[in-house]
Amino acid sequence: MTVRTRVAPSPTGDPHVGTAYIALFNLAFARQHGGQFILRIEDTDQQRSTPESEQAILDSLRWLGMSWDEGPDVGGEHGPYRQSERREIYGDYVQQLLDKGHAFKCYRTAEELDAMRNERQAAGNSMALKPSDLILPDDEIARREAEGAPYVVRMKVPEEGVCVVDDMLRGPIELDWSQVDAQILMKSDGMPTYHLANVVDDHLMGITHVIRGEEWISSAPKHKLLYDYFGWDMVHLCHMPLLRNPDKSKLSKRKNPTSIMFYERMGFMPEALLNYLGRMGWSMPDEREKFTRDEMFSHFDIKRVSLGGPVFDMEKLRWLNSLWLRELDAEGFAAKYADWAFKPERTLALIPHIQPRVETFSDVAPLAGHFLSGMTDLTPASFEHKAFDEESLLTALQYGLWQLEEIRHWDVEEIKGRLFALAGQLDIKVRDFLYPFFIAIAGTSATISVLDSMALLGPDMSRARVRHAIQVLGGVGKKKAKKMEKDYRAISAAIQEQLNTDA
Ligand code: GLU
């Protein structure tokens, strides 16, 4: 058997370090067994998937030094590798399940489903909706069908009993069927859900081992049942421990930058970041901390993955990166630094903002130094301004940060729309309102437009700097955040309304 593994990201946001972590372990496993590693794009959620996100994922994984044997950009025998291009394939498989009686068309309306869920909740029952809850009497099905009512296709699942799923790291895992709902396989628009597309593709693409995050354990019974229904050999499953923040909570961008692009922008070496991801839950047989990708691959053993939640800690990553930097000779350092600092596309995007404002080249660094730095060097005094006291300063920055966190398409118009609307809501003049953001982002207001700076720096770096500014100002503790969130809700709703009318 040739080992074939895959990573299957959904292109719905910035390329996440968690995606790179899972990709790395799939790649290492495939390479160690002389097998193949496939990249598949799971873009069945058409509302949230974007081509920019897909491109950013491919670019980021490549930047980290990973490559795949098959994928949307390199082709292969099992394509297409983008699920949105495989729609007809899934339709055939759904029909097979319907024909064999393993799935049913479900004409239940959203109101009916809500009512059933409320009833279950009130009775203290599990929230899973089972086929017995959902399947309508034959005459009612016929009536709704004749009306042309919309339907989804759901899989039949056992009402009770135990499902045992084998996991390469955990051994047999027992899951209770009563907790598993009659999963939707095909939505009313004819698009498959993750569960169906994922299982069908893994089979058709000859995947032998699925290494993925532990958040998918609860989906495993459905997947196993689908393999049974189709009569296919089950893949080997391996659920990796989730990456965690230093406080052990699940790694999330609200606490930690999670985009691979942020780490690039911060000036980490890709080799060091890859090395660090390799340290997440795994260690070299001799426990050494610094190792190359190929060293990892030649010593790889999935059994050495430990299940304790691996902590992704920026301080530790900085230390590891420093080891990589120290090893460069002066020429190597100079070349790598220049590549990082003066990336052509980035520099070119910046020039139109700089050129009209300078008289000599030596004016450039004071104006644009914040594009070559990480967190800005700040003290509370840096923020002093007539329009703010301590309290209103923190409120402006925290609300601003929450607004920035809501942005999905990061561009200058979107940033401007939200921050201007927020200034209006807080009844602060826009010019004054932006002052603390200038300080947070650039360390000074004597620079290019702070909105342009944020657009150019990208979401993770911008949010990280605002977060850093809030820390410098003493931070927002849990209690205070709760209170702020309460006040913020109304403001945020008003801003959303305003943005909707403006659009
Ligand atoms: N598309 C899923 C994700 O974004 C893939 C999960 C899996 O590997 O099965 O994580």
Side-chain angles (χ1 to χ4, degrees):
M1 173 189 67
T2 310
V3 165
R4 283 172 64 86
T5 63
R6 49 63 166 183
V7 67
S10 298
T12 54
D14 287 332
H16 199 281
V17 285
T19 302
Y21 156 69
I22 295 297
L24 175 62
F25 280 78
N26 275 286
L27 178 59
F29 188 80
R31 290 289 173 265
Q32 175 218 359
H33 287 94
Q36 287 133 17
F37 170 60
I38 287 98
L39 190 143
R40 179 173 74 227
I41 293 292
E42 300 211 325
D43 56 352
T44 53
D45 184 344
Q46 299 225 289
Q47 298 244 284
R48 295 178 55 228
S49 300
T50 64
E52 299 83 53
S53 168
E54 175 184 320
Q55 194 56 49
I57 292 171
L58 301 183
D59 291 347
S60 299
L61 296 181
R62 282 243 158 71
W63 173 73
L64 281 169
M66 288 192 250
S67 59
W68 34 98
D69 304 294
E70 297 167 32
D73 54 341
V74 295
E77 280 173 32
H78 301 76
Y81 293 92
R82 209 174 270 121
Q83 290 187 327
S84 56
E85 293 166 20
R86 301 172 63 81
R87 232 175 124 139
E88 292 89 71
I89 302 178
Y90 309 121
D92 293 346
Y93 286 96
V94 166
Q95 197 53 49
Q96 275 188 35
L97 294 176
L98 285 168
D99 292 346
K100 289 194 211 152
H102 295 316
F104 61 99
K105 292 183 181 173
C106 178
Y107 286 94
R108 292 287 190 175
T109 62
E111 294 75 46
E112 285 174 317
L113 296 173
D114 279 347
M116 276 186 248
R117 287 201 190 96
N118 291 342
E119 215 170 280
R120 284 185 158 267
Q121 193 163 25
N125 290 337
S126 105
M127 295 302 285
L129 295 178
K130 311 297 293 183
S132 59
D133 299 311
L134 295 161
I135 297 180
L136 291 159
D138 287 347
D139 54 343
E140 183 58 18
I141 296 180
R143 199 183 63 77
R144 296 192 188 192
E145 197 169 6
E147 267 178 6
Y151 66 86
V152 298
V153 177
R154 291 181 183 268
M155 72 187 283
K156 291 199 181 155
V157 292
E159 299 278 329
E160 52 185 33
V162 170
C163 173
V164 183
V165 179
D166 281 318
D167 182 280
M168 288 159 66
L169 296 174
R170 294 152 215 261
I173 307 176
E174 296 195 352
L175 294 125
D176 206 337
W177 275 120
S178 67
Q179 308 287 327
V180 180
D181 54 5
Q183 176 62 49
I184 299 182
L185 298 177
M186 186 162 278
K187 296 177 259 186
S188 52
D189 62 0
M191 272 309 254
T193 56
Y194 154 73
H195 302 278
L196 178 80
N198 185 273
V199 165
V200 167
D201 285 350
D202 281 344
H203 173 72
L204 295 180
M205 295 181 181
I207 302 302
T208 56
H209 296 75
V210 166
I211 303 172
R212 62 182 172 194
E214 66 187 326
E215 74 267 37
W216 298 104
I217 289 181
S218 60
S219 300
K222 301 174 199 176
H223 296 187
K224 186 167 183 234
L225 190 57
L226 284 173
Y227 277 93
D228 286 350
Y229 284 165
F230 286 122
W232 296 335
D233 285 339
M234 179 67 186
V235 289
H236 298 279
L237 289 180
C238 176
H239 293 96
M240 296 288 292
L242 288 184
L243 301 185
R244 307 207 164 255
N245 296 312
D247 69 3
K248 286 280 180 184
S249 58
K250 184 180 153 206
L251 190 69
S252 71
K253 69 175 171 204
R254 293 211 165 213
K255 295 209 173 145
N256 240 321
T258 55
S259 164
I260 301 168
M261 295 188 298
F262 169 83
Y263 293 91
E264 187 277 327
R265 183 106 224 182
M266 274 300 279
F268 286 96
M269 281 175 63
E271 294 85 348
L273 180 53
L274 196 79
N275 179 175
Y276 191 56
L277 290 171
R279 295 279 298 115
M280 295 290 102
W282 190 80
S283 57
M284 286 289 251
D286 62 2
E287 303 280 332
R288 90 185 98 129
E289 304 244 22
K290 181 174 173 295
F291 49 82
T292 65
R293 179 195 59 192
D294 292 340
E295 284 166 349
M296 174 177 181
F297 293 173
S298 53
H299 290 96
F300 190 69
D301 176 2
I302 192 99
K303 290 271 166 338
R304 290 183 61 84
V305 170
S306 91
L307 291 174
V311 170
F312 188 91
D313 179 358
M314 184 119 60
E315 288 312 311
K316 196 82 204 280
L317 172 59
R318 289 181 76 91
W319 168 79
L320 189 58
N321 196 64
S322 75
L323 300 187
W324 280 86
L325 285 184
R326 305 272 181 280
E327 257 188 14
L328 299 169
D329 58 20
E331 267 125 44
F333 191 105
K336 282 193 189 288
Y337 178 70
D339 282 349
W340 171 79
F342 304 112
K343 275 198 155 186
E345 68 280 11
R346 210 176 270 166
T347 310
L348 283 175
L350 183 57
I351 298 302
H353 301 282
I354 302 288
Q355 206 171 358
R357 291 179 161 92
V358 296
E359 289 168 354
T360 62
F361 289 138
S362 58
D363 292 335
V364 176
L367 203 61
H370 60 293
F371 288 98
L372 296 183
S373 64
M375 293 309 116
T376 19
D377 197 7
L378 302 170
T379 67
S382 325
F383 292 88
E384 262 165 39
H385 189 279
K386 63 175 185 344
F388 293 100
D389 58 21
E390 246 175 67
E391 189 76 18
S392 57
L393 195 56
L394 270 178
T395 306
L397 286 167
Q398 183 63 61
Y399 286 9
L401 177 59
W402 284 334
Q403 278 300 314
L404 297 176
E405 283 172 350
E406 282 178 39
I407 298 181
R408 291 218 2 252
H409 292 282
W410 189 262
D411 65 30
V412 73
E413 285 310 315
E414 182 76 29
I415 300 167
K416 181 174 164 185
R418 286 183 180 273
L419 292 187
F420 278 31
L422 178 56
Q425 288 294 322
L426 295 175
D427 204 14
I428 304 177
K429 277 206 214 95
V430 165
R431 219 187 126 88
D432 292 340
F433 178 78
L434 289 180
Y435 184 78
F437 291 90
F438 266 108
I439 303 302
I441 297 292
T444 167
S445 59
T447 179
I448 71 168
S449 139
V450 69
L451 305 170
D452 287 326
S453 283
M454 284 196 244
L456 290 163
L457 284 167
D460 271 278
M461 180 59 100
S462 303
R463 291 173 191 142
R465 286 192 191 169
V466 177
R467 215 173 284 132
H468 173 66
I470 294 172
Q471 288 312 321
V472 168
L473 289 165
V476 173
K478 265 206 178 119
K479 221 164 128 193
K480 197 157 173 188
K482 267 235 160 78
K483 182 177 174 308
M484 276 184 154
E485 256 170 65
K486 222 169 123 212
D487 301 337
Y488 173 72
R489 242 170 267 151
I491 291 182
S492 155
I495 292 176
Q496 197 51 52
E497 199 168 312
Q498 185 177 336
L499 294 175
N500 292 344
T501 27
D502 290 352

